[in-house]
Amino acid sequence: RIQVHHHNHHIHHILRSLHIQVLLHNPNHLHVRGQQLLELRPWPSQPAIQLLLEALPTCCLIGLFDEFLSEKRLEERIGGPFKNKKNEELFVIDTSTNDERFKEDTKKLTKKQRALLPPRCFEILKPLTAVPDPIVKRNRVKSKEERKSTIRKAIEEKKRLSGYIPKKVLEARRSRIVTKLQKKMQPKEHTFNKNLWDNKSTDENENPADLEWLNDNTIRHNLTNLGAFKFGVPKGIRKKKSVVPTIELPHPGSSYNPSFKDHQELLKIVADRELGKQKEEAHIKRVTSDLFNKVTRSEKASLWMEEMSQGLPQTEEIKSEDNVKEENEESTEYKAINPPVSFLKKKTKKQRR
């Protein structure tokens, strides 16, 4: 906004020569908007520009140039001004029917094809301008395969043709097989939309007036008038008479739809219980029946006869058999070759010299 007088006709003449729009709102004020300042042909003379610069303040000129440059940048982003474009570039005649318009031309992409597409979160980072990248060559980090030398690649190719398989490849194959087996062993998850335990009791005989927020007198009055009087219950019935829990909570693995972890824990508990029973049976067998030697019926009969005939007069055959047994037992006894030594007959140091 510049304050001028009506007799300053040379300023009006300069502004008109520069094709700058002049709007007189007050007799002592005017507004200047110079959008076409840089596109004037022919350019005004030097004295006219000098007079204009002296008349206009610096802030006004900076604002004019900033507006002009911002509009130019916007036109570059869009692709040029609309006044220079033809109607064919701006408008398109739609000749398709409604069915063709709403028909999906693009086929549905598979999961692998969608993974190759760039993420949508990076679309905001893409430039909207048509200005090329000022840095033509940008450094890129090479991959592990690209960093390998030609000699190394030739050695690996030679090994591959000869049938050599690296250790990493073998481990990867084994781990892949193991993971596939583990996935097959895991039970498939089923979706249950219905809650089996969410069955509210719909008993007709249930008292609707038995609520906690009602007083006893109110409940008694309502039940008396309804014909369903509430009898008093002894206090001992509601008291807990034992410390032991009434119902033991079942293991979560015994549910209709248990998780894989709970089911495996329940199987382990049952297996450990069975192993404990087997160990107990083996222990009883080891300390009872395994302690005695197994004998045949004939040996058992002979042992019984020998035991029952103790103290009776024996025949010569039995005596001879007993003597043979005693001799065998004596022969099996260990006997030292050297005679026994006593500490009383110990040699002195003089004798030992």
Side-chain angles (χ1 to χ4, degrees), residues 314-340:
Q314 297 178 355
T315 59
E316 294 180 358
E317 294 179 358
I318 296 170
K319 286 181 180 179
S320 62
E321 289 178 0
D322 293 339
N323 294 330
V324 170
K325 286 181 181 179
E326 288 177 0
E327 289 177 0
N328 292 332
E329 288 176 359
E330 289 177 358
S331 62
T332 55
E333 287 182 1
Y334 173 76
K335 291 182 180 180
I337 299 170
N338 298 325

Side-chain angles (χ1 to χ4, degrees), residues 37-303:
L37 186 60
L38 299 179
E39 295 183 1
L40 291 174
R41 293 292 184 275
W43 191 258
S45 60
Q46 187 69 23
I49 295 172
Q50 190 174 0
L51 288 171
L52 177 64
L53 294 175
E54 290 175 358
L56 295 174
T58 308
C59 60
C60 184
L61 291 173
I62 292 170
L64 294 175
F65 279 101
D66 287 341
E67 288 180 6
F68 176 76
L69 292 174
S70 63
E71 289 182 1
K72 283 292 180 184
R73 292 192 198 99
L74 181 61
E75 287 177 359
E76 285 181 359
R77 293 194 194 99
I78 297 169
F82 289 106
K83 64 181 180 180
N84 297 335
K85 292 185 178 181
K86 297 179 182 180
N87 293 335
E88 290 78 6
E89 297 178 2
L90 296 173
F91 304 101
V92 178
I93 300 171
D94 189 7
T95 57
S96 61
T97 60
N98 292 332
D99 297 336
E100 294 177 356
R101 192 184 303 168
F102 296 106
K103 191 183 291 184
E104 293 183 359
D105 297 333
T106 57
K107 295 181 180 179
K108 289 185 178 180
L109 300 175
T110 60
K111 193 174 182 180
K112 291 183 179 179
Q113 290 174 348
R114 284 199 303 273
L116 297 174
L117 294 175
R120 290 186 179 179
C121 59
F122 296 145
E123 289 182 359
I124 195 171
L125 302 176
K126 292 181 181 179
L128 299 174
T129 178
V131 179
D133 191 358
I135 302 173
V136 180
K137 185 182 178 183
R138 291 184 180 274
N139 295 330
R140 186 180 66 83
V141 179
K142 292 183 179 180
S143 62
K144 194 174 181 181
E145 293 293 330
E146 292 174 351
R147 287 198 297 270
K148 287 182 181 178
S149 62
T150 54
I151 299 169
R152 182 67 182 170
K153 288 180 181 178
I155 292 168
E156 289 181 356
E157 185 67 21
K158 188 177 179 181
K159 287 182 178 180
R160 189 182 65 80
L161 294 173
S162 63
Y164 172 76
I165 301 172
K167 187 178 179 181
K168 288 183 179 179
V169 177
L170 293 173
E171 289 179 355
R173 289 178 184 175
R174 290 194 204 99
S175 62
R176 199 177 294 113
I177 293 166
V178 170
T179 50
K180 284 182 180 179
L181 291 173
Q182 287 178 353
K183 285 183 179 179
K184 286 181 180 179
M185 288 174 64
Q186 286 184 356
K188 294 181 180 179
E189 295 182 357
H190 300 284
T191 55
F192 288 89
N193 297 325
K194 185 180 178 182
N195 190 1
L196 299 175
W197 290 271
D198 192 13
N199 295 326
K200 294 182 179 179
S201 61
T202 57
D203 191 2
E204 296 179 355
N205 298 325
E206 189 177 359
N207 295 327
D210 191 5
L211 301 173
E212 294 180 358
W213 56 275
L214 291 176
N215 295 329
D216 293 338
N217 294 329
T218 308
I219 295 168
R220 193 180 295 106
H221 172 74
N222 292 332
L223 293 175
T224 305
N225 294 329
L226 289 171
F229 185 76
K230 184 179 178 182
F231 295 95
V233 181
K235 294 181 180 179
I237 293 174
R238 295 178 180 174
K239 288 183 179 179
K240 195 173 183 181
K241 297 181 180 180
S242 177
V243 185
V244 180
T246 54
I247 299 171
E248 187 179 356
L249 293 174
H251 195 274
S254 61
S255 175
Y256 285 101
N257 183 27
S259 63
F260 180 73
K261 186 178 178 182
D262 295 338
H263 187 252
Q264 293 295 323
E265 286 179 359
L266 183 61
L267 291 177
K268 188 176 182 302
I269 291 167
V270 175
D272 293 342
R273 192 183 301 160
E274 291 296 325
L275 288 172
K277 290 180 181 179
Q278 291 178 7
K279 285 181 180 179
E280 189 176 355
E281 290 176 0
H283 172 70
I284 293 168
K285 186 179 179 182
R286 187 172 59 253
V287 298
T288 54
S289 59
D290 290 350
L291 290 174
F292 303 101
N293 296 326
K294 293 181 180 180
V295 293
T296 59
R297 289 186 177 181
S298 59
E299 290 178 354
K300 186 178 179 182
S302 62
L303 289 171

